[in-house]
Amino acid sequence: MAAPRENVSLIFKLYCLTVMTLVAAAYIIALRYTRTTDKELYFSTTAVCISEVIKLLLSVGILAKETGSVGRFKTSLKENVLGSPKELMKLSVPSLVYAVQNNMAFLALSNLDAAVYQVTYQLKIPCTALCTVLMLNRSLSKLQWISVFMLCAGVTLVQWKPAQATKVLVQQNPLLGFGAIAIAVLCSGFAGVYFEKVLKSSDTSLWVRNIQMYLSGIVVTLAAVYMSDGGEVIEKGFFYGYTYYVWFVILLASVGGLYTSVVVKYTDNIMKGFSAAAAIVLSTVASVLLFGLQITLNFALGTLLVCVSIYLYGLPRQDTTVIQVEETASKEKLIHM
C-alpha cells in the first residue's frame, strides 16, 4: 500500500503548482533565448556542469538542515557518501544518462522553437510509462494506454509541419532538434525510473541519494566539457559567452530539478498534469511574443491533444477490487430478497 500523502492546505498545493509551472516555462523560454541570441554563444556543456555543482551544494545544505546537527550531518556524509563507493557507482548510471539528457535539451532548443520543444518533450510520458512497466513491473490502465497513443498522435501533428518563428535569425536544423528531443525523452524515462527504483530499494534519504548522484554528475559533465569543447574552453575560458540570462537559465535548471521532489511529495498526478499543460500554454504565448512563432492548425490541434492526454494519464486509477466487492454484495442482496 502506498504511503499516505501528507495533509497540506490547498493554498500550498496551488503554490507548488504555480512555481513548478513558472519554472518549467521560464527555463525553456530563457534557454531558447540564450541559444538564439546574436551574442557570443556560450558552451552548453559548461552550463550543464555548473548546474550540477549548484544542485550538489543545495542538496548538501538541505541534508544539513534535515539531520539537525553537525555531528549527524558528518556521520551521514561519511557513511553514505565517502564510505559507500558501491552506491556512488550505482548512482553514476542516472548521472551519465541525465548529463546526456540535459545536453540534448540545449541542442534541441538551439534548433526548435520553445513551444514546439515543450509539446514534443511530453513524449517523456509514454517513455517513462514503458520503463515503469519493464523495470518496476507495474501495469497501466486502459485509459492511460489511450492517453499515451493520443499524446503520440498530438506530437506527430506538431512535428508534421513544425511552426516557424519569424524573429529568430540564426540557422536551425529542425530534424537535428527532433533527434535531440528523442534522445532526451529516452534518457528522461530511463533515468527517472532507475532513480525511483534506487530510492525505493532502501530507506536512505532522498538528499543523500541526490548528493551521490550529483557527485557523479559533476565528474561526468566535466568529462563532457573537455571531450566536446575542450580545445575551445582552454582557449576562450570556461565562462566564455556567459551573461545574466545564461546564469538565470543555470539557476532555473538547478532549482527546478530539486523543486520537483517537493512537488511530487505534496501534489498529485492531476495537478502535475495541469502544470505541464499550463507550461505548454505559457511557452506558446511567450514564443509568439518573443520569437514571432506562427501558430498553425497542426500545432494547435496537436497541442490540444497533448494537453488532454496529459490530464487523462494523470487521472487516479479506479480500484477494481472495491468495485468487485460492491458488485458481489449487491448480487447477494438480490439473492436474499
Side-chain angles (χ1 to χ4, degrees):
M1 183 180 292
R5 194 177 296 278
E6 292 189 33
N7 191 21
V8 293
S9 68
L10 178 61
I11 293 175
F12 182 76
K13 287 184 177 182
L14 290 174
Y15 160 77
C16 289
L17 176 69
T18 303
V19 173
M20 183 170 73
T21 302
L22 291 175
V23 167
Y27 172 68
I28 298 301
I29 293 297
L31 201 163
R32 171 66 172 172
Y33 175 78
T34 62
R35 301 308 290 176
T36 55
T37 182
D38 57 357
K39 297 179 181 178
E40 296 292 342
L41 201 60
Y42 62 99
F43 302 113
S44 60
T45 51
T46 63
V48 173
C49 182
I50 294 169
S51 70
E52 292 295 301
V53 174
I54 295 174
K55 288 176 191 175
L56 175 64
L57 294 175
L58 290 173
S59 296
V60 168
I62 295 170
L63 179 64
K65 185 179 179 181
E66 187 181 73
T67 51
S69 72
V70 176
R72 285 199 293 269
F73 172 64
K74 286 182 178 179
T75 302
S76 181
L77 284 181
K78 187 176 180 180
E79 290 180 356
N80 297 302
V81 180
L82 301 177
S84 301
K86 186 179 178 181
E87 294 301 307
L88 283 174
M89 288 299 295
K90 188 188 295 184
L91 270 297
S92 66
V93 175
S95 295
L96 175 61
V97 179
Y98 276 132
V100 174
Q101 176 197 330
N102 292 330
N103 279 289
M104 287 300 104
F106 278 87
L107 180 59
L109 281 163
S110 299
N111 292 281
L112 290 174
D113 182 79
V116 175
Y117 170 89
Q118 187 81 293
V119 175
T120 309
Y121 190 63
Q122 301 310 312
L123 284 172
K124 67 182 180 181
I125 293 175
C127 185
T128 302
L130 182 61
C131 289
T132 300
V133 170
L134 296 176
M135 296 170 65
L136 299 180
N137 296 319
R138 291 181 188 164
S139 60
L140 299 182
S141 66
K142 288 182 181 178
L143 184 60
Q144 284 178 315
W145 280 116
I146 291 171
S147 67
V148 163
F149 286 113
M150 188 185 297
L151 189 146
C152 293
V155 170
T156 302
L157 273 175
V158 168
Q159 287 293 334
W160 190 258
K161 289 183 179 178
Q164 299 298 318
T166 57
K167 295 181 183 179
V168 176
L169 302 178
V170 297
Q171 189 174 2
Q172 300 176 100
N173 185 339
L175 189 60
L176 178 61
F178 181 72
I181 291 182
I183 295 171
V185 298
L186 288 171
C187 291
S188 175
F190 172 78
V193 175
Y194 182 97
F195 189 55
E196 181 184 348
K197 191 171 184 179
V198 171
L199 281 177
K200 292 184 176 180
S201 65
S202 70
D203 57 357
T204 306
S205 165
L206 166 66
W207 302 111
V208 168
R209 290 300 192 190
N210 277 339
I211 290 169
Q212 292 170 339
M213 185 164 66
Y214 296 141
L215 278 172
S216 302
I218 291 169
V219 175
V220 169
T221 52
L222 269 176
V225 168
Y226 288 100
M227 285 173 63
S228 178
D229 304 304
E232 289 187 277
V233 168
I234 292 170
E235 179 188 343
K236 298 178 179 179
F238 196 87
F239 299 102
Y240 174 77
Y242 273 53
T243 63
Y244 291 118
Y245 292 112
V246 176
W247 282 109
F248 181 57
V249 168
I250 292 170
L251 180 64
L252 287 174
S254 306
V255 174
L258 293 177
Y259 196 83
T260 301
S261 60
V262 178
V263 170
V264 168
K265 185 175 182 181
Y266 290 116
T267 66
D268 53 31
N269 282 329
I270 296 177
M271 295 192 78
K272 283 184 285 182
F274 273 122
S275 174
I280 289 172
V281 172
L282 287 176
S283 297
T284 302
V285 172
S287 292
V288 171
L289 297 176
L290 297 175
F291 308 120
L293 179 70
Q294 296 179 325
I295 302 296
T296 63
L297 181 61
N298 277 6
F299 179 85
L301 290 176
T303 301
L304 179 62
L305 271 177
V306 168
C307 290
V308 172
S309 67
I310 291 171
Y311 170 73
L312 293 177
Y313 187 86
L315 286 175
R317 298 183 63 171
Q318 213 171 18
D319 192 343
T320 54
T321 57
V322 174
I323 295 173
Q324 288 172 357
V325 169
E326 288 177 351
E327 287 179 349
T328 304
S330 63
K331 286 178 183 177
E332 288 178 354
K333 284 182 182 178
L334 289 172
I335 291 170
H336 291 93
M337 282 181 69

